[in-house]
Amino acid sequence: MGSFQGTLGLPRRDNGASATTPKCELRYAGFGYTATPTLVLDTQWLRLRFKGSADGATLWVASATYSLPRRTAAYATVGQINNRGALPLSVSAGAGGSNPLAGSSQTGLTTGVRQAF
């Protein structure tokens, strides 16, 4: 039987420099499961809300990492962000030209092989 790990959080922020959205909170929950010594599954949910505003975003992420011999691992991650109001947040941290239109959604996928030296 594998092992579970989890985390929860609710940080709040006051941003006096913003006249329209001076207060926000970020709720998050994350869970990890080590299914076998070579397979780790993770999921995370995050919700960003601004007090007194229609702006907000919800992000879901799921990933799997499979360890191969000799410090090598294959991985895959999928994420989806749903923006509300005037937010154009990107699922990929906003690399140039990657932000969606304000209030819309975006899905991203990454796969690869990692080698530790």
Side-chain angles (χ1 to χ4, degrees), residues 13-16 18 20-25 49-52:
R13 185 177 85 165
D14 292 331
N15 182 5
S18 173
T20 57
T21 56
K23 295 182 185 229
C24 70
E25 67 181 25
R49 298 175 66 186
F50 292 92
K51 187 172 183 173

Side-chain angles (χ1 to χ4, degrees), residues 5-92:
Q5 296 177 346
T7 184
L8 299 170
L10 178 61
R12 296 176 185 210
R13 185 177 85 165
D14 292 331
N15 182 5
S18 173
T20 57
T21 56
K23 295 182 185 229
C24 70
E25 67 181 25
L26 176 68
R27 298 176 184 193
Y28 62 88
F31 300 96
Y33 177 62
T34 304
T36 69
T38 58
L39 179 63
V40 177
L41 306 170
D42 296 292
T43 186
Q44 199 162 46
W45 168 86
L46 302 97
R47 175 170 285 163
L48 177 63
R49 298 175 66 186
F50 292 92
K51 187 172 183 173
S53 171
D55 294 349
T58 302
L59 173 66
W60 285 95
V61 178
S63 66
T65 304
Y66 185 77
S67 296
L68 302 166
R70 301 211 174 251
R71 304 177 316 270
T72 305
Y75 63 89
T77 302
V78 63
Q80 176 161 2
I81 192 163
N82 299 308
N83 292 302
R84 293 181 307 282
L87 281 184
L89 300 179
S90 172
V91 74
S92 65

